[in-house]
Structure formats: structure tokens, C-alpha cells
Amino acid sequence: MRLATLFTAAALSLATFAAPTLAFAAEVLVVDFNRVYRDSLSGKDAQNKLRALGDSVGRELQPEADAARADQQTLAARFQGKTEQQAAEELQKDAALRKTYETTSAKIQAFTQKQQLRQQELQETERRVVANVLKGADPILREMLTEKKASVVIEAASTIASAPAVDITTEVIARLDTRVKAVPVTKVDLVAEQQAAQARQQPAPAAAAPRR
């Protein structure tokens, strides 16, 4: 998954701080959130855990992938050398073959949907983890804004050019490393979250009328 979009989204809440007591910009500071995530201890910890999580999901799906591939190959061999029309006619005539075809197609479709769901869950997990890592830089940016008597902090990706002197990325990483060395990474369960959201939307049961 491309991280550029993740950094852009996360930076919207972190990249720009304005000092309310200053009427004009005394100085602009620049931070590269890509580097903060890539090079900080908490960012590296998150990357390692996300890779391990991806490997775990891959191991979970592998048996089903192998089974679906084997079933697909078996059917392909059964219809090898036949036109689509000939295959359709054979399915129409042979009830057992038709049942096998329908069962195999359903299994492949179910696996494909599960695979897509896991990919979506990994992407959402990564999005939340990146945001969590960058959130740790929030108080540091506010501190440096005051210390350097600056009026705004801008994400490096939003600039055309900037002087090295205004880039505070290295210092942000150094401070972040003293405060946050690891972050929790738990795979998002989109189905459970959707079910919980639906349950919260259900109206509360009406109170029973008192007996007389």
C-alpha cells in the first residue's frame, strides 16, 4: 500500500499549527512526516509489526488459496480442449458435474471475498498505525513552535522548497525516540466493527408497561 496518502491524511491534523498571539509569521518550520514514520523508533517498530501481521494473514489464507487453486485446476482439466459452448452443454447434461462446478465456483468466490476483506483490514490497520505514530509528534511540534518562536509548522510534502535551517525533522525524531519507542499494532476487524456500529444504531427496547 502506498504510504503517501496515509502521510497526507495524518498530516492534516498535525502539520499546521498557528500561534494565536502572533499576528504575522516570524518563522516557518518544516517537518517531513515520511521520515518521522520511517526513521523513528516507534515508526520502525510499527513497520516491523505490520510486516509480521501481513505474513500472519498470508499464512492464514494460504491453505484456502491452495485448495481453491487445486479445485480450479481440476475443473480446467475437465474442460480442457472444449469450447465454452461445449462446456456449457456438458454441464447441462451432467448433474453431478454441474454440482461440482457450482460448489467450486462458490468456494472460489468466497475465498476471493475473504482475501479482499483481509487486504482492506490490513490497509485500514496500517492507516491507523501510521496516524498513531505521527500523533506522538504532535506535542513535540507544539513545543518546538514555542521554543523557536515560530508561527507555523508545515509538512515537507506541501512545500516547493525550503532552507535546511527550518527543517526540524531530525530533532523531532530524536525527541520522539525518547518518549515513544513502540506502538501497539492489532489487526482491524472490519466485520466486527460494522456489526458493533449497527448494534449501536438499534433503538433501545421499549420499557414494559407496569402490571396492575
Side-chain angles (χ1 to χ4, degrees):
M1 177 182 181
R2 294 180 57 189
L3 291 180
T5 303
L6 294 176
F7 292 127
T8 301
L12 288 176
S13 62
L14 298 173
T16 305
F17 300 114
T21 58
L22 296 177
F24 301 96
E27 186 178 356
V28 173
L29 302 177
V30 175
V31 62
D32 185 341
F33 282 111
N34 195 324
R35 276 187 57 205
V36 172
Y37 179 72
R38 185 192 68 203
D39 297 339
S40 66
L41 291 178
S42 56
K44 291 178 180 178
D45 176 72
Q47 293 164 55
N48 290 334
K49 289 176 179 176
L50 286 169
R51 278 193 293 269
L53 182 60
D55 291 342
S56 175
V57 170
R59 288 191 297 271
E60 172 200 347
L61 295 176
Q62 193 60 53
E64 293 180 57
D66 291 341
R69 188 180 300 108
D71 289 343
Q72 194 171 32
Q73 290 173 346
T74 299
L75 275 179
R78 181 70 174 77
F79 295 116
Q80 187 174 9
K82 297 181 179 179
T83 66
E84 184 176 344
Q85 180 63 32
Q86 290 172 331
E89 291 175 354
E90 188 167 351
L91 286 171
Q92 186 66 29
K93 295 176 183 177
D94 192 330
L97 178 61
R98 185 167 64 252
K99 179 66 174 178
T100 299
Y101 177 83
E102 292 171 350
T103 300
T104 299
S105 297
K107 286 171 61 178
I108 293 174
Q109 183 179 12
F111 169 73
T112 301
Q113 293 174 343
K114 183 176 181 179
Q115 185 180 45
Q116 292 173 345
L117 174 62
R118 291 294 180 268
Q119 290 174 343
Q120 292 169 357
E121 289 176 336
L122 287 175
Q123 290 172 350
E124 178 61 16
T125 300
E126 183 178 37
R127 185 193 69 78
R128 296 184 191 184
V129 169
V130 171
N132 192 25
V133 170
L134 298 184
K135 185 178 180 181
D138 189 341
I140 296 171
L141 295 177
R142 296 181 185 277
E143 291 170 8
M144 297 185 70
L145 192 71
T146 301
E147 292 171 9
K148 296 181 179 295
K149 297 181 173 56
S151 59
V152 67
V153 179
I154 299 176
E155 154 65 357
S158 301
T159 65
I160 297 175
S162 62
V166 301
D167 190 328
I168 60 172
T169 306
T170 299
E171 189 171 353
V172 169
I173 293 173
R175 294 192 187 191
L176 182 60
D177 285 350
T178 66
R179 305 181 189 188
V180 186
K181 294 178 172 57
V183 292
V185 174
T186 303
K187 184 179 73 66
V188 171
D189 187 333
L190 292 178
V191 174
E193 289 188 357
Q194 183 179 30
Q195 291 174 343
Q198 291 173 345
R200 289 193 295 270
Q201 294 174 357
Q202 293 295 326
R211 293 183 178 180
R212 295 183 177 179

